[in-house]
């Protein structure tokens, strides 16, 4: 006799089957994080104001009594003091901004093989970026040339900074691509780090000892003896 099936129980089973069919795949965090990273990077590139950078160059020139290697060493030293408080105090009136803000908008770089110093100013305005670079370059030249008689090295302006036409900050497309890569990387790391992300080793089948099976079988002599007894009977 067939058992009666409860309609509620059958409906519950069908609902569970539908949920199992609609369940997202295990790798869904990877595309989700990539899309979120793309949206965040693109929004950052669109909303952030473009930043411009202008660079001026000064070169350390030795006098007749100084070796070129000495000028190279002084160029390294002057690059370190280009963003010091004393140099920025000289540059502040021409740059038109405070010394504390000026320190965050200027940087100095040099090469160990060349006595040239690159002074870069950054700002949201192209003209202001050029003014910052030229002001710091002039201030560094004035402060260093005051001690040129003792050092034997003089700083000369090699090239003035001009207002740039293109921003130095990345565009919205580049920011979106960076966000896409970063989001995909985070999604992949999340898949690897979660407990279900690692592959589980299949359970090994239970191996029954063969010795017990052979031990349960009768010996060959006992089997022959039993047959002889049955034939006698």
């Amino acid at each position: 006799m067939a058992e009666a099936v409860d309609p509620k129980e059958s409906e519950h089973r069908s609902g569970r089957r539908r949920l199992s069919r609609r369940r997202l795949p295990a790798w869904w965090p990877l595309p989700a994080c990539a899309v979120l990273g793309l949206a965040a990077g693109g929004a950052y590139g669109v909303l952030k104001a473009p930043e411009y950078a202008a660079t001026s160059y000064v070169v350390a020139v030795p006098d007749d009594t100084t070796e070129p290697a000495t000028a190279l060493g002084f160029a390294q030293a002057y690059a370190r003091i280009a963003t010091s408080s004393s140099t920025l105090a000289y540059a502040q009136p021409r740059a038109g901004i405070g010394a504390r803000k000026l320190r965050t908008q200027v940087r100095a770089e040099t090469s160990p093989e060349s006595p040239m110093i690159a002074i870069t100013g950054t700002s949201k305005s192209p003209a202001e970026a050029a003014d910052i670079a030229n002001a710091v370059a002039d201030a560094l030249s004035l402060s260093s040339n005051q001690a040129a008689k003792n050092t034997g090295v003089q700083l000369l302006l090699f090239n003035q900074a001009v207002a740039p036409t293109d921003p130095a900050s990345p565009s919205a497309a580049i920011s979106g691509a960076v966000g896409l890569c970063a989001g995909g990387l985070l999604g992949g790391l999340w898949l690897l780090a979660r407990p279900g992300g690692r592959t589980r080793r299949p359970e090994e089948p239970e191996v029954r000892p063969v010795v017990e099976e052979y031990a349960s079988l009768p010996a060959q002599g006992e089997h022959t003896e039993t047959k002889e007894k049955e034939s006698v009977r």
Side-chain angles (χ1 to χ4, degrees), residues 178-192:
V178 173
L180 176 65
C181 296
L185 178 61
L186 292 177
L189 292 176
W190 189 83
L191 285 176
L192 294 175

Side-chain angles (χ1 to χ4, degrees), residues 188-212:
L189 292 176
W190 189 83
L191 285 176
L192 294 175
R194 67 175 186 173
R198 300 176 182 177
T199 56
R200 299 179 179 178
R201 296 178 60 184
E203 297 181 357
E204 297 181 357
E206 183 181 358
V207 179
R208 298 180 61 184
V210 185
V211 180
E212 295 181 358

Side-chain angles (χ1 to χ4, degrees), residues 161-184:
V162 295
T165 56
D166 298 327
S169 57
S171 61
I174 297 177
S175 299
V178 173
L180 176 65
C181 296

Side-chain angles (χ1 to χ4, degrees), residues 5-66:
V5 180
D6 191 0
K8 293 184 178 180
E9 186 177 355
S10 61
E11 185 179 355
H12 180 66
R13 290 179 181 177
S14 61
R16 289 174 60 183
R17 291 176 182 175
R18 291 174 184 173
L19 290 175
S20 61
R21 291 177 182 175
R22 295 178 183 177
R23 191 172 296 172
L24 295 174
W27 46 266
W28 69 267
L30 184 61
C33 293
V35 171
L36 288 177
L38 175 63
Y44 176 80
V46 171
L47 298 178
K48 188 179 183 300
E51 191 176 59
Y52 296 87
T55 304
S56 62
Y57 297 92
V58 293
V59 61
V61 180
D63 57 13
D64 298 336
T65 61
T66 307

Side-chain angles (χ1 to χ4, degrees), residues 45-103:
V46 171
L47 298 178
K48 188 179 183 300
E51 191 176 59
Y52 296 87
T55 304
S56 62
Y57 297 92
V58 293
V59 61
V61 180
D63 57 13
D64 298 336
T65 61
T66 307
E67 297 181 357
T70 305
L72 184 61
F74 272 101
Q76 302 288 331
Y78 286 139
R80 294 187 182 94
I81 66 173
T83 56
S84 62
S85 300
S86 59
T87 305
L88 296 181
Y90 280 110
Q92 180 181 352
R94 181 177 175 181
I97 57 177
R100 183 176 299 180
K101 185 179 179 181
L102 182 61
R103 189 187 301 274

